Amino acid sequence: MSPTRIPEATVARLPVYLRALNSLLEREIRTCSSEELASAAGVNSAKLRKDLSHLGSYGTRGVGYDVEYLRYQIAREIGLTQDWPVVIVGIGNLGHALANYSGFSSRGFRTVALLDADAARQGELVAGLKIRPFTELSAIVREHGVAIGVIATPAAAAQSVCDHMVDAGIRSVLNFAPTVLTVPPEVDVRMVDLSSELQILAYHEQRKSAPASPDPTLDPEVVA
Amino acid sequence: MSPTRIPEATVARLPVYLRALNSLLEREIRTCSSEELASAAGVNSAKLRKDLSHLGSYGTRGVGYDVEYLRYQIAREIGLTQDWPVVIVGIGNLGHALANYSGFSSRGFRTVALLDADAARQGELVAGLKIRPFTELSAIVREHGVAIGVIATPAAAAQSVCDHMVDAGIRSVLNFAPTVLTVPPEVDVRMVDLSSELQILAYHEQRKSAPASPDPTLDPEVVA
């Protein structure tokens, strides 16, 4: 773990670099230049070198980066060399998909419990775990030292689930429900909006299908 | 649609602003200052004003932004005032969740077909649509003018599905499979890595639990 906090934008790119390094390793590539790694990660190489310098990782002149070692450095920086017990609340289709998502377990995230408020679902086996009542949340957090709570409930239930998570001692929440959550300052929430990426694609698609032209309705107004 | 391409980082924040504006409207807030909107969106207000200036949107001095009008401007800029026919391939748990996700349809994305290679799944009704054979992809793309393809298959099938989408004329692909896809330059791919956000949370969680300290194993090496 590096001595100082690294910039938030760099933190957000570390998982991308890790994925790129994993795919290089799958192709049995042991060393790579910053250009190769940048291309695999889809960023420019100057930005990549800057980002990695925050980790104290500079590669070796004429050789480049040792893929395996850099992967270890990034995994350690993110904290993936630790064990992260995770609880998933809301076992509908999305909760099912998350419970079965191989990308979680392969990155150090261990799902220790699946919780659902619906009594009819309880005892059902999903990804090797029995669905348990939501009322057991606090006991499960204590027992397993759960650090991260994943919310996959409908939007209407998400804030209440989040409040219970915070009361139970969870300080990091990953929210898949399409609603903004309010939490105390010591709690981190990240929201995955499944439609954001579709919107970004639509922006580009629109520009492919219609060449850009000035829009007379967009008159600059006075600054607020 | 503004005359020039706006920066990619701004494009990526437009869905966030749109979500914030929607939540202000739900609370019947009709005008807001750049500070209020920035706070609802979780960005700093200088960045917000810069971003919105790319859209020719400056608010009104002493009044701020008209929430409804700004929402329209952003929706038009992204292209959400158009109709976007979408096809989802791979109707496992994640495909089911995406087909039922209200956040897609409410933002102008219309799922016109669900496709799966598994013959046993065909004819099954999901979110009001019958699962159809993957072999019908080209015909469906032609019939509905599908612009965006969503891949929710296992990683091993994703590249082949993507190749078929490109052959069928799809130029924008949203990939949920945990693998990097190769496409021709005219095709845009965006990848949703469900574990990325969990990794970013782990980074912060790690720093909460252990105060930062210098790491002697991180010796700067020579620049590659």
Side-chain angles (χ1 to χ4, degrees):
Chain A
M1 173 154 63
S2 62
T4 51
R5 282 193 175 255
I6 60 181
E8 199 56 37
T10 298
V11 172
R13 282 189 291 269
L14 293 181
V16 180
Y17 298 149
L18 199 61
R19 195 168 63 220
L21 290 164
N22 282 332
S23 82
L24 290 175
L25 278 175
E26 276 167 24
R27 288 151 53 204
E28 303 195 346
I29 297 169
R30 301 290 168 201
T31 58
C32 66
S33 66
S34 54
E35 286 74 17
E36 284 163 336
L37 181 55
S39 158
V43 302
N44 77 57
S45 61
K47 184 179 277 179
L48 174 113
R49 281 192 299 270
K50 182 103 192 293
D51 283 342
L52 296 185
S53 73
H54 290 296
L55 278 67
S57 203
Y58 297 89
T60 306
R61 188 185 297 277
V63 177
Y65 295 95
D66 179 313
V67 175
E68 181 83 56
Y69 181 60
L70 183 57
R71 176 168 164 259
Y72 166 75
Q73 281 187 300
I74 294 178
R76 184 184 53 181
E77 184 70 29
I78 299 177
L80 302 188
T81 50
Q82 297 176 34
D83 172 53
W84 295 102
V86 170
V87 64
I88 303 175
V89 177
I91 314 299
N93 288 315
L94 182 60
H96 261 91
L98 295 172
N100 283 298
Y101 186 65
S102 61
F104 284 172
S105 53
S106 69
R107 287 174 182 84
F109 300 103
R110 188 165 51 91
T111 305
V112 296
L114 307 176
L115 305 180
D116 201 287
D118 182 355
R121 308 293 309 279
Q122 276 145 35
E124 190 184 319
L125 205 63
V126 175
L129 290 170
K130 269 193 189 153
I131 298 178
R132 295 167 69 174
F134 181 61
T135 48
E136 295 183 9
L137 178 68
S138 292
I140 290 167
V141 169
R142 269 196 310 276
E143 182 190 347
H144 295 280
V146 171
I148 300 177
V150 175
I151 299 179
T153 66
Q159 183 64 56
S160 162
V161 165
C162 180
D163 294 345
H164 280 94
M165 284 181 169
V166 171
D167 288 345
I170 289 177
R171 291 170 307 174
S172 293
V173 174
L174 183 59
N175 176 31
F176 284 91
T179 187
V180 175
L181 298 176
T182 308
V183 292
E186 72 275 14
V187 176
D188 280 314
V189 178
R190 294 196 66 94
M191 179 166 174
V192 179
D193 180 344
L194 296 175
S195 81
S196 284
E197 297 293 326
L198 215 46
Q199 294 179 48
I200 295 170
L201 278 174
Y203 173 84
H204 291 291
E205 184 67 28
Q206 175 182 235
R207 269 150 186 76
K208 283 183 216 164
S209 38
S213 64
D215 183 341
T217 67
L218 288 175
D219 284 329
E221 293 165 61
V222 192
V223 178
Chain B
M1 176 156 58
S2 61
T4 50
R5 279 189 177 259
I6 59 182
E8 199 56 36
T10 298
V11 173
R13 283 188 291 270
L14 294 180
V16 180
Y17 298 148
L18 198 60
R19 196 168 62 221
L21 289 164
N22 282 333
S23 82
L24 291 174
L25 278 176
E26 276 166 24
R27 287 150 53 203
E28 304 195 346
I29 297 169
R30 301 289 168 202
T31 58
C32 67
S33 66
S34 54
E35 286 74 17
E36 285 163 336
L37 181 55
S39 158
V43 302
N44 77 57
S45 60
K47 185 180 275 180
L48 175 111
R49 280 193 299 270
K50 182 104 195 290
D51 283 342
L52 296 184
S53 73
H54 290 296
L55 277 67
S57 203
Y58 297 89
T60 307
R61 188 185 298 278
V63 178
Y65 295 96
D66 180 314
V67 175
E68 181 84 55
Y69 182 60
L70 183 56
R71 176 167 163 262
Y72 166 75
Q73 281 186 301
I74 293 178
R76 183 184 52 182
E77 184 70 30
I78 299 178
L80 302 189
T81 49
Q82 297 176 32
D83 172 52
W84 294 103
V86 170
V87 63
I88 303 176
V89 177
I91 314 301
N93 288 313
L94 182 61
H96 261 91
L98 295 172
N100 283 298
Y101 186 66
S102 62
F104 284 172
S105 53
S106 69
R107 287 174 180 85
F109 300 103
R110 187 166 52 91
T111 305
V112 296
L114 307 176
L115 305 180
D116 201 287
D118 182 355
R121 309 293 309 278
Q122 278 145 36
E124 190 184 319
L125 206 62
V126 175
L129 290 170
K130 269 193 189 153
I131 298 179
R132 296 166 69 174
F134 181 61
T135 48
E136 294 182 9
L137 178 68
S138 291
I140 290 166
V141 170
R142 269 196 311 274
E143 183 191 347
H144 295 279
V146 171
I148 300 177
V150 175
I151 300 178
T153 65
Q159 183 64 56
S160 162
V161 166
C162 180
D163 293 346
H164 280 94
M165 284 181 169
V166 171
D167 288 346
I170 290 177
R171 291 167 307 174
S172 294
V173 174
L174 183 59
N175 177 30
F176 284 91
T179 187
V180 175
L181 298 175
T182 308
V183 291
E186 71 275 15
V187 176
D188 279 314
V189 178
R190 294 198 64 94
M191 179 165 174
V192 179
D193 181 343
L194 297 175
S195 81
S196 283
E197 297 294 324
L198 215 46
Q199 294 179 48
I200 295 169
L201 278 174
Y203 173 83
H204 291 292
E205 184 67 28
Q206 174 182 235
R207 269 151 186 75
K208 283 184 216 162
S209 38
S213 65
D215 183 341
T217 67
L218 286 176
D219 285 328
E221 295 166 61
V222 193
V223 178

